[in-house]
């Protein structure tokens, strides 16, 4: 009796223990998280996906590049129906259906992906050097996303003396369902995290200034220099003038990038080859055929997508000889007998879509100018000189400025930033960090002007996340 | 015929020879003194016996099935009869018993010792005459005795002094127990009769455990026999047949052919799917002869497979092959199935052959089904005038409105053009029999069923072979069941909503698009959508009785399902015109296999009976999908992928596996107190890490009070039993990779970046390593009692608490996802069930059996998402998961009727304020409240069967109370988008001018509607006469004259009458018309059955 039981039990256990491997099931249509990070080749596909994701409509392919300009007065609508970012334009966005909710959702999705890379790549099979580079690039992407989020959903750094007001949820680990509900960090903590990521990446990224992925151009990836350029911009937003100065100075002097000439400026916005002054831009695939950012500015597109026309507020800023003026940098078409001008920075949509430029050397000049004027030991000469470089590049006839009053100098730099970086997603953030009010003239919105501290200038957190997260604090006014 | 005569002749001869032998009795001498001289080499035994009979004057008596008289013998002997017989006995292993001048021959062992007596016999079914294996032959008052073998035979040695006075009891569940005094008999020919009421019914308790007598069952098991299932009904699958037959089993039936139905056992045990949320399957586990079968679940494959249609694999079981269906409802009954038993288990056993004469049966039935309760649409002229009015209501001038409203005279009845009365045909044959140790049954069937929708047909060919073999302690069984299906699913009901005042034909006679919508008639003629598939289920099992107590057994089975769907959208109509014809071919291949190995120990010691089993199981499921598609066909009738100018393909695979260990301990004392414990450990590939393992177990107790002395023999309360069980079961049927974070390639954000392959996390597949089994804790109290041996009642109360409910919940967006599948809820299903089975009249010529059942269920969500946020569907679905309410509640706003002054609709908001439609639609979805429930608060059925001599008659009644349905607001659009679709005939009662009191608002083409208002809610409480059947068994003597063993004719009529709680106004659409989008049908069929 006993003997039999033992034999039977033994048989059963032996027969099954050999089956245990049956339980290791991997999907084939898609790859599991565990599977994709098994080796460097897999991790690289995720990194490529991370860059690609930045091109989402709710991130750089539209919202991030349009939002700061439409809210601050560079953009008006050329039509009345089927509009994008209409709520932002009219300043009647709400937490339930704000256009920027999709940006919030997408950016945290991108962040989760970047965190996956940073967490799991070190465990993958493959060369250490490759793994380190993948992680470093992912950290740059993470920094960029945090930087975008904090500028849209939180007050600027200098809102409080030490940046102790509410920032955003900073994530440096994939957030799992069972993890404690995330909390908003302060703005200072947010910037700390961004700076940390970039510094760590800079330490690892090679001097060869190329990405770990093959094909394309170095400008399509985060490299040592593009990471530094981003960090310079971050320091600028953090009012860390000395560091902003040092980094922008280093990049300008490095010589890897050079300013375009006046003559080459307009043409640099066509085609898919990065210009000499481009530092970081998102590549568009040769097979691209979606709407893309260009579709919204495409003057030839008579269908529903063309809608973001330039305001006269902006166009009146350019002199008659400025290469960036309406006649040369804009396509003007009459729509229902009214002339509308569309920037040539993204002149065509669909298959003619051009890459999305995120960092250019001209911005670094303007960063160095502003930092020079603001730094511990102000250097107005350098500030005026940098400002003049950009002014004269745009307009050879421009006067040589030599401003000695700091406020005038800063205003001149801000004005140049608006002229040079229009439609590149900067205007609102520049106004806010400099505590300037939003003043709009050529817009049809009921509310045109808002003081810099108005709650409407900071976007609400999506209601879904506030409802689902007990720790979440909504922005004031929503 | 010839055979019968020869049998008579034989009997006459036997009688004659008996008479002869009696007369010659006095002449014989004692065997020791009778001289016999014999010398044969290799001659048949029969010849030897004849020689001995001649020489000795003794007569031999034997059973030809026991003694092989044709076996050859060589014997050379010249001595006494005694010595000769002893010699033969030693040589042939036979025993010779001399009694008077008769010598009976049986198989050895040699002559028994004086104190013991060997008895043997044959037990047969009084009704069929077939042998009955497994009958307990016990000495009364003990559990000592024998069990009949596969041939219905038994052999047993009786010991003791007063053997003659012992009484043998012959027990078999479902049969009346017989008692026979041993006396001086050695051979017993016993015929057992059916126990009409089935008090001692044999219950199939599962594929791991052996069948039990009803009174010994501890768990809650409802068993439905083939007879009760009424497989003659023109219904293509057994799941649909179950409607109304078992307490607490609700069938959410459909009106379409060959589409899956949902079966809810004791309510729905999982959360409903809301929006794109992912939940576990709430369907029971189906087990067919030990092999599980699953409904087709989708969700693991890519979106390119979305166009593939769902089919119902359960319809591949020929209802005619079903012997019994057992529904395991509580934890004790189902915990042995651990994984996936959360929503109950349905065990199907198929018919098997019996040893004996080979019998063959043939049946054929055919019939026709036609519509009942069809939705009434506006006729062409009505439509014209209402559309014109709708335009004018919006301010269009009368002239322009007349122009816009189209034709005044054309009346196209799209329903009539696309629907039909459908023909049903079903033929079947089965052959069964067996000899010695092997029995078999082979059956085959052909079913051709048309749907009432033209272009939709179903054909099935079924085959099933079952072979059982027993050799001493070894038992083998084999089952093979291929089913071939061919179907066409071309048409959908959508076409009938087209506007009625446009002709389907252009002036030149060709089909024209109807306002840009494909012409349904063109689709029927030019398109294709057909399925062709085979399902093959095969299983083999073996068991070996090691010792009297220990039995080991193993089963291995596979389920293979292949289907190829071919869809062609012709370039000649709007479905395929823009791409110049489109061909899509889906190839689905599913292979599931399961194996289990177990050991059982059974022991009865005095009053204690113990049975224990332990086993392990492996199950693996793989699905492979292939899709080929092509567009751009140069010639429309050349429909191969090769002819397409643009071809695309896709494939998908997914698989899952479960490994399980299970054990059961059953104990009873004196057949009064029963206990049952189950435990099962499952490891599933679906979950990750330590969440893979789930342990489920149950404990059950039963007290058969009627076996206590104080109730024994009570005439009123002939049986009484109390049961209490508690335990848990699990559910993991959520899709194969739900706990995994998945990276996809080639989505909008995937594809390539600078030519580098890019992957990105799939938004619907968040990793959740903490995702684990959903668990259903089931508590059950049961009371079984029988009154006057006539009425059997079972009353049960259940309280199931389902914890760790899996649902997609809204999560903080910072996770990178908006929803994640998680164990996040808790809910309760509780209710009461009553089954009554009564043999009201039971006489030789007249029988009346009544079976009635009732089941109630109440669902409450106890917690969800940590109480943090409820989950809401879109307004049109009107569903939500909100704590405190039922998971099946319908959420919305109360309708306040039509304003007699303005003709606009009004609604009440949550505070009872009257609001307009657009004001209501602007309210957040969270302000909706519960309007009704989708599931009935109680439902059940009643079957009455009568038999008068050779006539049988039965009718089924189904009822359901308390369920509501939110009908599609589009059909009741009140003029909304009337220019592009037909609407309900009810619109003729619309509001037209100030002061009109009506339920139908002013017709407007552009208007806001509130899809989740009580206006679209109907109470579908009903009583239905679902089936009437009649049969006549042709008397045997007539059948014989027709050269048949048996013959009968039968007829069925389904869905004859409906009584709805709220029947509505005559000539308008009411509950009956709105309940199903696709109208129900009533079928009339008739057939014959003959036994050859």
């Amino acid at each position: 009796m006993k003997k039999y039981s033992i034999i039977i039990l033994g048989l059963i256990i032996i027969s099954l223990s050999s089956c245990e491997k049956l339980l290791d099931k991997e999907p084939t249509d898609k790859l599991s998280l565990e599977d994709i990070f098994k080796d460097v080749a897999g991790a690289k596909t995720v990194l490529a996906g991370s860059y690609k994701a930045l091109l989402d409509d709710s991130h750089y392919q539209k919202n991030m590049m349009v939002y700061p300009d439409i809210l601050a007065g560079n953009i008006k609508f050329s039509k009345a129906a089927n509009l994008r970012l209409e709520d932002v334009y009219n300043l009647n966005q709400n937490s339930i259906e704000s256009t920027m909710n999709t940006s919030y959702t997408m950016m945290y999705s991108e962040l989760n992906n970047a965190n996956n890379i940073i967490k799991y790549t070190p465990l993958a099979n493959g060369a250490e050097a490759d793994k380190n580079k993948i992680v470093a690039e992912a950290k740059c992407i993470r920094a960029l996303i945090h930087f975008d989020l904090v500028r849209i959903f939180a007050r600027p750094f200098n809102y409080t003396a030490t940046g102790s007001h509410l920032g955003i949820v900073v994530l440096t680990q994939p957030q799992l369902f069972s993890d404690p509900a995330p909390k908003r960090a302060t703005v200072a903590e947010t910037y700390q995290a961004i700076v940390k990521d970039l510094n760590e990446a800079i330490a690892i990224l090679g001097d060869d200034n190329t990405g770990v992925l093959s094909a394309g151009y170095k400008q399509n990836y985060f490299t040592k220099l593009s990471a530094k350029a981003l960090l310079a911009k971050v320091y600028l937003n953090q009012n860390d003038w000395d560091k902003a100065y040092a980094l922008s100075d280093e990049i300008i002097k490095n010589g890897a990038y050079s300013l375009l000439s006046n003559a080459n400026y307009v043409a640099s916005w066509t085609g898919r080859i990065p210009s000499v002054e481009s530092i970081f831009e998102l590549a568009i695939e040769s097979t691209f055929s979606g709407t893309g950012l260009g579709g919204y500015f495409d003057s030839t597109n008579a269908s529903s997508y063309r809608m973001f026309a330039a305001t006269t507020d902006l166009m009146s800023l350019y002199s008659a000889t400025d290469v960036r003026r309406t006649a040369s940098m804009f396509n003007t078409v009459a729509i229902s007998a009214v002339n509308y001008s569309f920037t040539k920075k993204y002149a065509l949509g669909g298959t003619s879509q051009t890459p999305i430029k995120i960092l250019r050397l001209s911005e670094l000049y303007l960063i160095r100018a502003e930092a020079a004027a603001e730094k511990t030991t102000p250097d107005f000469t350098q500030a005026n000189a940098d400002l003049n470089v950009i002014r004269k590049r745009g307009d050879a006839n421009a006067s040589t400025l030599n401003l000695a009053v700091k406020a005038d100098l800063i205003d001149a730099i801000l004005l140049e930033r608006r002229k040079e970086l229009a439609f590149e997603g900067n205007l609102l953030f520049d106004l806010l960090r400099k505590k300037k009010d939003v003043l709009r003239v050529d817009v049809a919105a009921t509310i045109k002007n808002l003081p810099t501290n108005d709650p409407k200038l900071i976007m609400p957190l999506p209601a879904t996340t506030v409802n689902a997260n007990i720790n979440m604090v909504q922005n004031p006014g929503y | 015929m010839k055979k019968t005569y020869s049998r008579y002749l034989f009997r006459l001869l036997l009688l004659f020879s008996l008479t002869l032998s009696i007369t010659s009795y006095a002449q014989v001498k004692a065997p020791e003194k009778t001289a016999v001289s014999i010398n044969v080499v290799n001659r048949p035994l029969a010849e030897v016996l004849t020689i001995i009979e001649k020489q000795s004057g003794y007569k031999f008596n034997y059973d030809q099935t026991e003694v092989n008289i044709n076996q050859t013998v060589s014997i050379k002997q010249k001595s006494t009869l005694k010595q000769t017989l002893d010699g033969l006995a030693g040589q042939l292993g036979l025993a010779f018993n001399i009694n008077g001048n008769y010598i009976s021959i049986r198989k050895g062992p040699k002559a028994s010792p004086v104190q013991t007596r060997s008895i043997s016999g044959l037990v047969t079914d009084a009704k069929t005459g077939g042998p009955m294996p497994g009958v307990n032959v016990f000495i009364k008052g003990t559990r000592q005795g024998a069990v009949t073998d596969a041939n219905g035979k038994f052999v047993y040695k009786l010991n003791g002094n007063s053997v003659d006075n012992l009484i043998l009891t012959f027990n078999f569940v479902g049969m009346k127990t017989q008692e026979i005094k041993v006396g001086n008999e050695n051979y017993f020919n016993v015929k057992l009769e059916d126990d009409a009421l089935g008090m001692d019914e044999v219950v199939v308790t599962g594929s791991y455990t052996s069948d039990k007598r009803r009174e010994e069952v501890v768990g809650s098991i409802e068993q439905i026999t083939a007879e009760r299932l009424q497989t003659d009904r023109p219904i293509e699958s057994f799941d649909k047949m179950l409607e109304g037959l078992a307490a607490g089993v609700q069938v959410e039936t459909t009106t379409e052919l060959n589409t899956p139905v949902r079966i809810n056992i004791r309510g729905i045990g999982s959360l409903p799917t809301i929006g794109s949320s992912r939940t576990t399957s709430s369907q029971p586990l189906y087990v067919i002869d030990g092999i599980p079968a699953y409904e087709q679940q989708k969700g693991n494959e890519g979106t390119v497979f979305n166009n593939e249609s769902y089919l119902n694999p359960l319809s591949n079981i020929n209802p005619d092959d079903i012997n019994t269906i057992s529904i395991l409802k509580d934890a004790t009954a189902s915990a042995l199935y651990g994984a996936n038993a959360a929503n109950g288990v349905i065990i199907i056993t198929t018919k098997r052959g019996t040893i004996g004469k080979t019998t063959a049966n043939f049946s054929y039935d055919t019939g026709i089904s036609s519509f009942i309760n069809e939705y009434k649409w506006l006729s062409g002229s009505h439509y014209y005038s209402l559309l014109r009015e709708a335009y004018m209501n919006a301010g269009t001038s009368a002239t322009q409105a007349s122009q816009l409203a189209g034709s005044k005279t054309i009346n196209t009845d799209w329903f009539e053009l696309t629907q039909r009365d459908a023909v049903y045909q079903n033929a079947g044959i089965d052959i069964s029999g067996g000899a010695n140790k092997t029995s078999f049954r082979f059956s085959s069937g052909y079913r051709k069923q048309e749907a009432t929708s033209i272009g939709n047909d179903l054909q099935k060919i079924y085959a099933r072979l079952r072979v059982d073999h027993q050799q001493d302690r070894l038992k083998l069984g084999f089952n093979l069941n291929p089913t071939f299906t061919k179907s066409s699913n071309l048409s959908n009901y959508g076409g009938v909503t087209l506007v009625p005042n446009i002709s389907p034909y252009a002036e030149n006679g060709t089909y024209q698009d109807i306002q840009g919508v494909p012409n349904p008639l063109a689709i029927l003629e030019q398109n294709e959508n057909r399925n062709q598939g085979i399902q093959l289920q095969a299983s083999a099992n073996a068991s070996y009785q090691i010792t009297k107590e220990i039995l080991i057994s193993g089963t291995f089975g596979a389920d293979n399902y292949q289907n190829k769907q071919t869809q062609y959208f012709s370039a000649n109509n709007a479905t395929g015109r823009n791409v110049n014809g489109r061909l899509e071919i889906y190839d689905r291949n599913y292979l599931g296999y399961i194996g289990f190995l177990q050991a059982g120990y059974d022991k009865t010691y005095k009053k204690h009976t113990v049975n224990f089993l332990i086993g392990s199981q492996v199950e693996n499921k793989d699905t492979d999908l292939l899709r080929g598609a092509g567009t751009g066909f140069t010639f429309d009738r050349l429909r191969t992928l090769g002819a397409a100018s643009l071809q695309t393909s896709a494939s998908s695979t997914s698989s899952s596996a479960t490994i399980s260990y299970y054990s059961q301990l059953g104990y009873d004392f004196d057949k009064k107190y029963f206990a049952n414990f189950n435990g099962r450990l499952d490891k599933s590939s679906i979950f990750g890490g330590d969440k893979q393992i789930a342990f489920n177990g149950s404990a059950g107790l039963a007290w058969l009070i009627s076996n206590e002395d104080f109730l024994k023999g009570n005439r009123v309360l002939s049986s009484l039993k109390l049961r209490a069980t508690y335990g848990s079961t699990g559910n993991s049927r959520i899709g194969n990779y739900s706990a995994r974070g998945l990276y996809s390639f080639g989505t909008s954000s995937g594809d390539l970046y600078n030519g580098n392959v890019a992957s990105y996390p799939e938004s619907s597949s968040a990793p959740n390593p903490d995702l684990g089994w959903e668990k259903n804790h089931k508590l059950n109290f049961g009371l079984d009692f029988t009154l006057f041996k006539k009425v059997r009642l079972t009353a049960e109360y259940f309280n199931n608490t389902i914890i760790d409910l899996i649902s997609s919940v809204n999560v903080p967006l910072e996770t990178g996802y908006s929803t994640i599948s998680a164990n996040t809820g808790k809910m309760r299903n509780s209710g009461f069930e009553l089954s009554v089975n009564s043999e009201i009249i039971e006489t030789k010529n007249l029988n009346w059996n009544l079976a009635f059942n009732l089941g109630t269920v109440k669902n409450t969500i106890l917690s969800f998402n940590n109480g943090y946020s409820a989950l809401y569907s879109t307004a049109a679905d009107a569903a939500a998961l909100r704590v405190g309410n039922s998971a099946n509640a319908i959420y919305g706003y109360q309708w306040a009727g039509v304003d007699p002054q303005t003709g606009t609709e009004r609604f009440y908001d949550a505070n009872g304020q009257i609001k307009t439609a657009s004001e209501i639609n602007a309210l957040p979805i969270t302000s909706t409240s519960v309007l009704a429930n989708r599931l009935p608060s109680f439902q059940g059925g009643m079957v009455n069967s009568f038999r008068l001599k050779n006539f049988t008659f039965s009718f089924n009644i189904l009822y359901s109370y308390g369920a509501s349905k939110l009908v599609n607001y589009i059909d009741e659009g009140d003029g909304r988008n009337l220019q592009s679709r037909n609407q309900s005939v009810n619109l003729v009662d619309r509001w037209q001018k100030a002061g009109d009191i009506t339920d139908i608002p002013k017709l407007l083409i552009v208007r806001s509607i509130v899809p989740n208002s009580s206006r679209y809610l109907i109470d579908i409480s009903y009583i239905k006469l679902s089936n009437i059947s009649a049969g006549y068994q042709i008397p045997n003597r007539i059948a014989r004259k027709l050269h048949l063993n048996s013959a009968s004719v039968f007829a069925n009529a389904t869905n004859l009458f409906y009584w709805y709680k709220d029947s509505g106004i005559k000539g308008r659409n009411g509950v009956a018309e709105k309940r199903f989008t696709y109208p129900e049908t009533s079928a009339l069929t008739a057939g014959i059955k003959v036994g050859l």
Side-chain angles (χ1 to χ4, degrees), chain B residues 818-1088:
Chain B
S818 44
T819 58
I820 289 180
S821 294
N823 302 93
T824 182
K826 184 175 169 185
M827 72 177 182
R828 182 189 297 132
N829 279 322
S830 61
F832 169 79
E833 286 166 7
L834 179 69
S835 308
V836 182
N837 190 358
S838 168
E839 202 69 44
I840 297 174
I841 299 173
E842 196 183 359
T843 64
K844 189 163 179 276
N845 287 327
L846 178 66
N847 275 58
W848 176 17
N849 178 287
L850 184 150
F852 168 82
N853 73 75
L854 171 108
T856 76
V857 63
K858 185 177 185 299
N859 176 282
T860 316
I861 299 180
L862 300 175
S863 71
F864 182 73
N865 201 10
N866 299 324
Y868 205 62
S869 71
L871 187 67
Y872 290 89
S873 71
T874 59
D877 291 339
L881 299 177
R882 203 198 273 172
V883 173
N885 298 335
S886 163
N888 310 300
I890 299 173
Y891 287 79
Y893 300 96
Q894 286 294 342
W895 190 55
V898 172
D899 186 337
Q901 290 313 306
T902 62
T904 54
E905 281 184 284
R906 296 168 308 174
F907 303 86
Y908 295 108
D909 70 4
N911 305 320
Q913 300 293 311
I914 289 197
K915 294 273 163 87
T916 66
S918 31
E919 283 166 346
I920 286 287
N921 284 334
L923 294 174
I925 195 122
T926 48
S927 68
T928 51
S929 54
V930 176
L931 297 177
N933 201 301
R934 285 188 168 80
L935 293 188
S937 39
F938 67 84
Q939 57 90 34
M942 181 166 76
V943 182
N944 274 285
S945 344
F946 304 87
R947 184 184 60 78
L948 177 63
K949 290 190 171 168
N950 285 349
F951 288 96
T952 55
F953 174 76
S954 75
F955 63 92
N956 299 5
I957 287 172
L958 303 182
Y959 65 92
S960 161
Y961 183 85
S964 291
K965 188 192 172 192
L966 194 67
V967 299
N968 192 342
Y969 61 89
I970 295 170
D971 295 337
E972 308 281 312
D974 307 322
R976 185 177 188 254
N977 294 334
L978 186 61
Q979 83 287 7
S980 57
R981 73 186 320 284
N982 201 352
Q983 288 175 1
S984 169
V985 77
N986 296 15
L987 259 57
V988 299
D989 301 327
R990 80 246 174 237
W991 183 95
Q992 285 167 284
K993 55 182 190 308
D996 282 357
I997 307 285
T998 171
D999 273 356
I1000 313 288
K1002 181 179 174 180
L1003 300 181
L1004 279 174
I1005 286 173
V1006 179
R1007 61 187 287 266
S1008 295
I1009 46 101
V1010 180
N1012 54 345
S1013 81
S1014 62
R1015 163 125 204 259
Y1016 306 113
L1017 203 60
I1018 51 165
D1019 183 332
I1020 53 171
S1021 300
Y1022 66 86
I1023 300 176
K1024 168 168 102 164
L1025 181 57
S1026 75
N1027 192 61
I1028 290 186
S1029 71
Y1032 176 68
Q1033 170 93 36
I1034 292 163
N1036 282 348
R1037 57 194 164 80
I1038 298 177
R1040 265 189 221 114
K1041 275 185 190 158
L1042 297 167
H1043 301 245
L1044 299 170
N1045 253 351
S1046 64
S1048 59
V1049 291
F1050 60 90
N1052 266 295
T1054 68
N1055 286 347
L1056 285 182
F1057 290 108
Y1058 258 113
W1059 291 272
Y1060 278 104
K1061 193 180 154 199
D1062 176 13
S1063 51
I1065 310 159
K1066 210 171 177 215
R1068 300 284 180 268
N1069 291 317
V1071 181
E1073 291 79 14
K1074 292 177 183 176
R1075 185 175 164 217
F1076 294 108
T1077 315
Y1078 191 85
E1080 280 183 284
T1081 54
S1082 172
L1084 287 171
T1085 59
I1088 55 160

Side-chain angles (χ1 to χ4, degrees), chain A residues 312-332:
Chain A
T312 51
D313 308 16
L314 174 69
M315 289 187 296
S316 64
L317 301 178
Y318 300 110
S319 68
T321 48
D322 197 321
V323 70
R324 300 165 298 184
R325 73 187 184 279
T326 313
S328 76
M329 216 21 221
F330 290 85
N331 291 311
T332 301

Side-chain angles (χ1 to χ4, degrees), chain B residues 390-402:
Chain B
Y391 276 121
M392 285 166 67
N393 283 344
T396 314
S397 72
T399 339
Q400 211 188 344
S402 307

Side-chain angles (χ1 to χ4, degrees), chain B residues 333-565:
Chain B
S334 58
L336 208 50
Y337 284 91
N340 303 330
N343 288 294
V345 183
I346 294 185
I347 308 275
I348 294 122
T349 57
T350 58
K351 291 173 182 161
R352 56 190 282 175
T354 43
I355 287 167
K357 190 174 163 264
T358 299
T359 59
N361 294 298
F362 172 77
S363 70
Y364 174 76
D365 59 316
T366 184
I368 190 156
S369 58
S370 47
F371 292 103
I372 55 168
N373 302 331
E374 28 183 307
Y375 199 84
K376 300 178 202 61
W377 301 97
L378 291 170
S379 69
S381 54
H382 255 135
Y383 173 82
Y384 164 81
S385 57
L386 293 185
L387 179 59
R388 186 172 171 271
E389 181 179 322
Y391 276 121
M392 285 166 67
N393 283 344
T396 314
S397 72
T399 339
Q400 211 188 344
S402 307
Q403 216 171 3
L404 286 169
S407 166
K408 206 190 260 190
T409 50
I410 295 175
N411 181 21
T412 304
D413 187 341
W414 290 107
F415 185 88
E416 197 66 36
L417 288 170
T418 55
Q419 315 295 316
R420 64 183 166 188
D421 286 341
V423 176
Y424 162 89
Q425 290 181 80
N426 182 33
I429 183 161
D430 70 77
I431 302 166
S432 71
N436 287 331
K437 288 149 184 163
T438 309
S439 71
F440 76 96
R441 181 177 184 273
F442 170 76
S443 71
S444 180
Y446 171 72
R447 180 184 294 262
K448 183 165 192 262
Q449 199 161 350
E450 288 178 340
T452 37
S453 189
I454 296 172
N456 292 1
D457 304 292
L458 173 69
Q459 286 183 80
K460 277 182 185 292
I461 297 172
Y462 311 95
R464 180 177 286 274
L465 175 66
R466 179 168 177 153
V467 179
D468 292 282
H469 177 80
Q470 182 166 18
Q471 170 78 46
D472 298 328
R473 294 165 160 196
L474 181 69
K475 235 182 184 172
L476 297 166
F478 175 73
N479 235 317
L480 182 69
N481 169 218
T483 302
F484 306 87
T485 307
K486 217 172 163 174
S487 70
S488 166
N489 309 292
L490 197 51
S491 158
N492 67 42
Y493 190 67
V496 310
T497 65
L498 292 173
V499 300
N501 64 344
I502 295 183
S503 166
Y505 309 101
E507 271 172 25
N508 61 8
T510 58
Y511 297 113
Q512 59 181 359
D513 290 355
I514 310 300
Q515 300 177 329
V517 173
N519 186 325
L521 301 183
I523 291 178
L524 288 176
E525 193 178 295
Q526 297 157 350
N527 286 10
E528 275 179 69
N529 184 6
R530 51 195 171 80
N531 285 285
Q532 193 167 309
I534 173 175
Q535 180 159 21
L536 183 68
Q537 283 170 322
S539 67
N541 59 71
S543 67
Y544 187 74
Q545 192 84 43
I546 297 181
T547 69
K548 216 170 167 186
E549 291 88 16
I550 300 174
L551 178 78
I552 54 165
S553 60
T555 299
F556 187 81
D559 182 5
N560 179 221
Y561 174 75
Q562 293 177 50
N563 186 60
K564 189 171 152 194
Q565 185 183 4

